[in-house]
Amino acid sequence: MLCTSLLFKTNAQCFNYITKKLCSSIIAKSVYVSSSTDIFTNLAWEHWLYEHGDVSSQSLLLFYRNEPCIVIGRHQNPWIECDIKKASARNLRVARRQSGGGTVYHDLGNLNCCFFTSRKGYDRKKNLLLLADVLQNSWGIDVTVNDRDDLLLDNLFKISGTAAKLGRNTAYHHCTLLIDAKLENVKSVLRPDRLGWSSKATSSVPAPVANVSDGEGGVKVDSLIDSVASAYIRDLGGSGADTREQERVTIDPCEREYPGFTAIRNKLASWDWIYGMTPQFNITKSVYLSSVDKRPLQFSLTVAKGKVKSIAVSMQNRTAAEHMSLVLQHALENCNFAAADVEKRLFPLVNDTESSPMLRNFCHFLIKAVIP
């Protein structure tokens, strides 16, 4: 097994030793496959390499797959991008990655490719063309790269989403490759109706999607990894021979191999990162709380850093509206924007016999119909 600290400056002695080994082995590119299928582990692995890797004279290609999950871009709103309740019911985890871009779906039928280079060597178009060429040359699948840097099957269906993170010296481009994913999860969970929501968060651009297997049923993950790895090594000027034996290394991302890894994973799996990093957004709606209401109750709810910042109610009875606004603001301020947390905060009001029927009904409405 190769030392998994290859090219990473976590230990001076190890780094010097590996550098000498590299100089003697003329390896210019390396391919790594994660043994983990945990989304937070693999995102942490990427970020650890981004923070600590030295790719000034070496490029890396990472492969990994994940158990079913929804992955949003760094600057996105998870509540707008997916139906949190439906995702939970389908056992789909929600994760926020470090790179920008839109929301994607992962499962074991999807292969993730991550190309690490120096900032100067960053070239996402080249990476995508490499993937397209492999699919065309090895399986005869009609794959093209559009002007949005998406891989398209038959020039119509999106089979890959792409994103990147560029630092001062290091850069990576990663993309999905839908091989045989359960696309029904995409249709049922992503981009729910959010009428009345306003946000400056990055929005995903909807597109028709398909699997690579729709174009050719014989594509398997392992054979695709081997073919892409061979083309990747060969593209650098090597022979491409015996790639599986010499260049493809299976990695178990963990604290033992990557000091500080656990802290990164814990952060990426935390509520504060997944939801708390959401740009401020506002919900404005009108609702009739009973069949006898002649005019709707209007409300505005502002959420910042994943927590309720303010809530205001307006209706014909201004005195009642001001009272409700004060009571709700006191109950919900700094509450996590999550159904369980909001319900816990509103429970005393719902069960207080001295609360007005309108207030109790509105609390039920917030819990059931507003908080995803």
Side-chain angles (χ1 to χ4, degrees):
M1 174 65 73
L2 286 176
C3 174
T4 56
S5 297
L6 185 63
L7 294 173
F8 308 125
K9 300 178 284 187
T10 57
N11 180 284
Q13 290 182 336
C14 180
F15 176 68
N16 291 335
Y17 169 76
I18 294 298
T19 300
K20 292 178 180 178
K21 294 289 287 184
L22 285 173
C23 292
S24 63
S25 62
I26 64 169
I27 297 176
K29 282 188 176 180
S30 296
V31 177
Y32 297 95
V33 182
S34 172
S35 63
S36 174
T37 56
D38 173 72
I39 177 60
F40 302 113
T41 294
N42 287 321
L43 289 179
W45 182 41
E46 274 186 341
H47 192 62
W48 193 99
L49 299 180
Y50 175 79
E51 290 288 326
H52 302 287
D54 180 2
V55 289
S56 58
S57 59
Q58 174 85 338
S59 297
L60 308 172
L61 172 56
L62 315 181
F63 292 109
Y64 59 88
R65 292 188 295 160
N66 294 311
E67 296 292 337
C69 59
I70 304 297
V71 186
I72 65 172
R74 178 166 183 150
H75 308 294
Q76 290 198 291
N77 183 321
W79 294 284
I80 291 178
E81 295 300 325
C82 70
D83 188 316
I84 304 296
K85 289 181 180 178
K86 284 185 178 180
S88 178
R90 288 175 173 263
N91 294 317
L92 300 176
R93 297 165 111 178
V94 177
R96 182 188 298 273
R97 61 179 183 269
Q98 289 278 357
S99 61
T103 297
V104 292
Y105 169 72
H106 292 187
D107 66 19
L108 295 179
N110 169 71
L111 178 64
N112 298 286
C113 310
C114 182
F115 298 83
F116 266 92
T117 63
S118 64
R119 174 66 180 263
K120 184 178 180 180
Y122 172 80
D123 188 345
R124 74 161 77 183
K125 184 73 74 175
K126 179 180 179 181
N127 301 333
L128 293 169
L129 288 173
L130 182 146
L131 295 174
D133 287 345
V134 167
L135 289 169
Q136 290 173 334
N137 296 334
S138 299
W139 285 276
I141 302 174
D142 179 16
V143 178
T144 54
V145 182
N146 68 7
D147 56 3
R148 292 184 55 83
D149 289 338
D150 297 324
L151 287 178
L152 300 183
L153 176 67
D154 298 330
N155 208 34
L156 177 62
F157 297 101
K158 185 175 177 178
I159 59 172
S160 175
T162 196
K165 186 173 180 64
L166 280 66
R168 183 177 180 181
N169 299 311
T170 303
Y172 67 76
H173 159 231
H174 53 188
C175 60
T176 58
L177 197 52
L178 297 169
I179 301 172
D180 191 22
K182 295 182 179 179
L183 298 184
E184 60 268 23
N185 284 330
V186 176
K187 299 175 182 177
S188 65
V189 174
L190 296 188
R191 300 300 294 176
D193 179 18
R194 291 291 182 245
L195 185 65
W197 291 50
S198 60
S199 172
K200 292 183 179 180
T202 301
S203 295
S204 296
V205 179
V209 297
N211 281 308
V212 169
S213 59
D214 293 337
E216 169 56 58
V219 181
K220 302 298 181 184
V221 172
D222 281 345
S223 58
L224 182 57
I225 289 176
D226 287 340
S227 295
V228 173
S230 294
Y232 175 76
I233 297 299
R234 187 168 57 248
D235 181 62
L236 200 76
S239 66
D242 299 325
T243 297
R244 185 169 185 173
E245 296 297 327
Q246 297 181 17
E247 309 294 348
R248 175 177 163 181
V249 181
T250 299
I251 298 293
D252 176 20
C254 60
E255 182 71 23
R256 181 183 66 257
E257 301 292 350
Y258 304 101
F261 170 86
T262 301
I264 296 174
R265 188 199 176 282
N266 289 345
K267 175 185 175 181
L268 294 178
S270 70
W271 197 96
D272 286 345
W273 172 259
I274 300 169
Y275 299 100
M277 287 292 291
T278 303
Q280 181 171 304
F281 63 98
N282 185 265
I283 304 171
T284 302
K285 286 181 177 289
S286 297
V287 58
Y288 288 92
L289 294 175
S290 73
S291 59
V292 298
D293 288 345
K294 295 181 178 180
R295 293 187 180 181
L297 176 150
Q298 297 178 322
F299 73 93
S300 178
L301 177 69
T302 300
V303 180
K305 297 182 178 179
K307 298 179 183 294
V308 175
K309 180 179 180 181
S310 65
I311 182 169
V313 173
S314 62
M315 55 185 172
Q316 190 172 14
N317 187 330
R318 291 186 178 182
T319 301
E322 290 176 359
H323 175 70
M324 280 184 63
S325 296
L326 287 172
V327 171
L328 292 167
Q329 179 72 24
H330 178 73
L332 294 177
E333 189 170 13
N334 292 322
C335 176
N336 286 350
F337 188 67
D341 294 86
V342 170
E343 185 173 12
K344 184 177 180 180
R345 291 282 193 98
L346 295 180
F347 181 81
L349 297 179
V350 172
N351 291 276
D352 185 353
T353 56
E354 295 186 4
S355 295
S356 69
M358 180 175 287
L359 176 59
R360 292 200 297 271
N361 288 341
F362 184 64
C363 288
H364 281 298
F365 172 75
L366 283 177
I367 295 169
K368 301 298 182 182
V370 178
I371 315 298

